[in-house]
Amino acid sequence: MKIIKTLLTLLFCMLCSTMVFAIEIDKKQFFDLENSQKTTRIEVLERASGNKVNIVDEKELKKTYEILEKMKFSNAITYDAYKRANKVNTGNYIMKFYQNDTMVKEMEITQEMIYNKDWVLFPEEKPNDFYYFAKYMILTKQNYKKSFLESDFYNNMILLEDNAVIFPNHDNYYHEQYGIMAEFEILNTVLNANAIYDVVTQTVNIDDIKNTLAGEIKENTIYVDAEQFAKLLGYRTVWDNTLKILSIQQQINDNQRWEKLRGIPKIYGNIDTLFGDMSLQKFLNIEKQQPFTKVVIKNEKTNYTTTITDEQQLQQIYDILYYTTVYQIEKQYNQADETIHRYSVTLYQNEKAVKTFSITSENVIKDEHYRVSMSTSFFDWIYRFNETAYAKALLEIWKITS
């Protein structure tokens, strides 16, 4: 009897080892890890926005494969088997791997899985690090190009030095090729250009210098490409793809969202991972069993403050924080101090302020002692929530003053 039990135990162990080994083999084959050094370019497409970026830097290509090699997967099944049992949703991101000019592999990435037409792999740990890596690449590398959906709340808004430009007689509109088209006469006055525009030759005369400028006549009114006109006058422009607003800035825009972000540090982990004597949960000073009762977000640039008390939204913030990926926690003196604090955030539990920290860039939060580099999901949520509330508040003011 003992011999039979022993044999069964050995057989069970062999089966388990085979299953794990099969997943490892599938992972290597799936990601073609043995040929990683031959990859010369990786194209990342964000399906929701249509934004597309390319990873070509040797260090970033290496980082891509480092993450894939370190990732553990709880399950790996064929795509056909998964499709028979589940509704197939399109991935958030599409990645195409190239060797020189030849595409050798294509895969789709969601928060729950990575798949192609043959295999579906399910990451063992939350969050899916590779999902956040793809998101990180989009955020850090994309050019904020013009895009427009009529269903968006903010349509064709133009800001000059963060103040709304009011067009009292003729509304702006969106041109698929040129972006926001605005009334030339108003823009000419507001931007102090003293320019002369010829719609027939599509040229504008600025200080006796002629430049090409797209424009057209509608209802006896001349409209021009607002962004290009501002650039010709020496202004810097930023198209905010979240709020659908064209911002015209006289000087370099100090909002770090439009600047390149830090590279991903070498250390990986999650909220329970210790970096020396510190973890994210300890840094945030939050009790896992106690929900937030209030979160206060202050935009350090505009001084606009948003207070969140809705239980569902508070739970969402807690969940995002708890499952976010932490890349590095380091003592404050190890890093040069950033001059720009985009937001300050105060967390409350049982009406007591348990933590206040600053967001200094797209993937860094800090207090007076520590800096924490983490994935972008938390920052994206804060940005959308605060900036949307701020934009709504501004719109109410603009409606009154206009």
Side-chain angles (χ1 to χ4, degrees):
M1 194 68 173
K2 287 184 179 179
I3 295 174
I4 294 174
K5 285 184 178 180
T6 303
L7 288 172
L8 287 173
T9 302
L10 287 171
L11 180 61
F12 177 76
C13 291
M14 288 174 65
L15 286 172
C16 290
S17 299
T18 304
M19 288 170 64
V20 174
F21 183 69
I23 292 174
E24 287 298 317
I25 289 292
D26 288 338
K27 184 175 79 168
K28 290 178 181 177
Q29 294 171 348
F30 184 92
F31 297 120
D32 197 18
L33 295 180
E34 292 181 356
N35 293 312
S36 61
Q37 293 183 348
K38 296 180 181 179
T39 299
T40 54
R41 175 168 67 94
I42 300 175
E43 179 185 284
V44 187
L45 171 67
E46 186 177 46
R47 195 186 294 274
S49 66
N51 289 323
K52 185 187 293 184
V53 303
N54 282 282
I55 305 172
V56 294
D57 181 79
E58 187 176 339
K59 290 182 180 178
E60 292 178 338
L61 289 171
K62 185 179 178 182
K63 176 59 67 179
T64 305
Y65 282 102
E66 276 183 17
I67 295 173
L68 293 174
E69 287 172 353
K70 290 178 180 178
M71 284 184 70
K72 296 179 181 179
F73 294 90
S74 61
N75 195 11
I77 64 174
T78 64
Y79 181 74
D80 289 338
Y82 179 81
K83 192 166 59 173
R84 285 194 298 270
N86 300 273
K87 291 182 179 179
V88 178
N89 297 318
T90 55
N92 302 91
Y93 300 97
I94 300 173
M95 264 197 177
K96 297 180 180 179
F97 292 71
Y98 289 83
Q99 293 177 4
N100 296 323
D101 294 326
T102 304
M103 188 185 76
V104 295
K105 182 165 287 293
E106 181 176 352
M107 64 181 68
E108 305 225 9
I109 300 112
T110 72
Q111 286 181 287
E112 295 81 23
M113 59 188 177
I114 301 173
Y115 65 94
N116 61 14
K117 58 184 175 57
D118 298 317
W119 285 94
V120 182
L121 274 65
F122 299 89
E124 186 177 282
E125 298 175 354
K126 289 185 178 182
N128 175 355
D129 266 354
F130 204 64
Y131 168 84
Y132 287 110
F133 178 76
K135 186 179 185 68
Y136 186 91
M137 286 294 121
I138 288 288
L139 283 171
T140 58
K141 291 183 176 299
Q142 69 172 308
N143 293 317
Y144 282 84
K145 61 183 182 181
K146 304 183 191 77
S147 61
F148 176 74
L149 294 172
E150 289 185 355
S151 59
D152 287 321
F153 185 74
Y154 313 109
N155 293 324
N156 314 321
M157 187 67 67
I158 297 177
L159 304 183
L160 175 61
E161 297 291 338
D162 301 322
N163 293 312
V165 179
I166 305 300
F167 295 84
N169 300 319
H170 303 282
D171 292 335
N172 306 328
Y173 62 93
Y174 188 85
H175 191 288
E176 288 187 1
Q177 184 176 355
Y178 304 119
I180 293 182
M181 304 292 285
E183 186 180 355
F184 172 73
E185 185 179 346
I186 298 295
L187 274 181
N188 200 22
T189 301
V190 170
L191 299 178
N192 195 27
N194 197 25
I196 300 172
Y197 183 70
D198 188 337
V199 72
V200 177
T201 60
Q202 299 281 286
T203 58
V204 62
N205 190 316
I206 303 171
D207 298 330
D208 296 326
I209 299 175
K210 281 190 176 182
N211 288 282
T212 301
L213 179 64
E216 58 188 5
I217 297 177
K218 283 191 173 186
E219 299 177 352
N220 298 319
T221 301
I222 295 177
Y223 295 83
V224 295
D225 177 345
E227 185 171 18
Q228 182 60 25
F229 185 37
K231 286 180 177 178
L232 289 173
L233 293 167
Y235 289 91
R236 178 173 175 177
T237 63
V238 176
W239 170 253
D240 190 314
N241 198 38
T242 302
L243 301 178
K244 311 300 177 186
I245 290 175
L246 173 64
S247 178
I248 301 173
Q249 297 289 335
Q250 182 79 49
Q251 298 175 340
I252 294 175
N253 193 331
D254 64 354
N255 189 330
Q256 296 296 295
R257 182 170 180 79
W258 293 287
E259 296 188 7
K260 282 194 174 182
L261 313 179
R262 300 176 185 277
I264 296 180
K266 295 180 180 178
I267 304 174
Y268 292 86
N270 55 39
I271 197 166
D272 293 318
T273 302
L274 290 176
F275 296 83
D277 61 347
M278 180 54 66
S279 68
L280 179 58
Q281 189 168 345
K282 192 172 178 182
F283 172 88
L284 295 173
N285 196 28
I286 56 177
E287 295 292 333
K288 187 173 180 181
Q289 304 304 322
Q290 295 182 17
F292 292 140
T293 51
K294 183 168 63 173
V295 173
V296 177
I297 308 164
K298 181 183 177 184
N299 186 319
E300 296 289 355
K301 181 181 176 184
T302 63
N303 288 324
Y304 184 79
T305 299
T306 309
T307 301
I308 304 170
T309 55
D310 179 79
E311 288 185 8
Q312 188 173 358
Q313 292 171 342
L314 291 171
Q315 185 61 46
Q316 192 173 19
I317 295 174
Y318 189 90
D319 289 343
I320 291 171
L321 272 174
Y322 189 77
Y323 287 110
T324 195
T325 297
V326 179
Y327 298 118
Q328 193 168 20
I329 298 178
E330 56 188 347
K331 288 288 183 68
Q332 183 66 17
Y333 58 75
N334 289 339
Q335 190 73 12
D337 189 35
E338 293 88 354
T339 57
I340 306 245
H341 294 181
R342 292 187 56 224
Y343 301 102
S344 65
V345 180
T346 303
L347 308 176
Y348 290 80
Q349 286 186 323
N350 296 327
E351 302 307 318
K352 177 185 177 182
V354 294
K355 185 69 178 183
T356 297
F357 56 84
S358 296
I359 297 178
T360 62
S361 65
E362 202 68 25
N363 67 329
V364 174
I365 64 177
K366 73 172 188 177
D367 61 10
E368 50 192 26
H369 300 295
Y370 289 93
R371 296 179 73 260
V372 183
S373 301
M374 53 202 288
S375 57
T376 58
S377 53
F378 172 69
F379 303 97
D380 287 350
W381 197 94
I382 293 292
Y383 176 79
R384 284 195 302 270
F385 191 95
N386 186 271
E387 295 301 316
T388 301
Y390 179 54
K392 285 181 179 178
L394 284 180
L395 281 179
E396 291 301 317
I397 296 171
W398 296 339
K399 287 175 184 176
I400 295 169
T401 57
S402 62

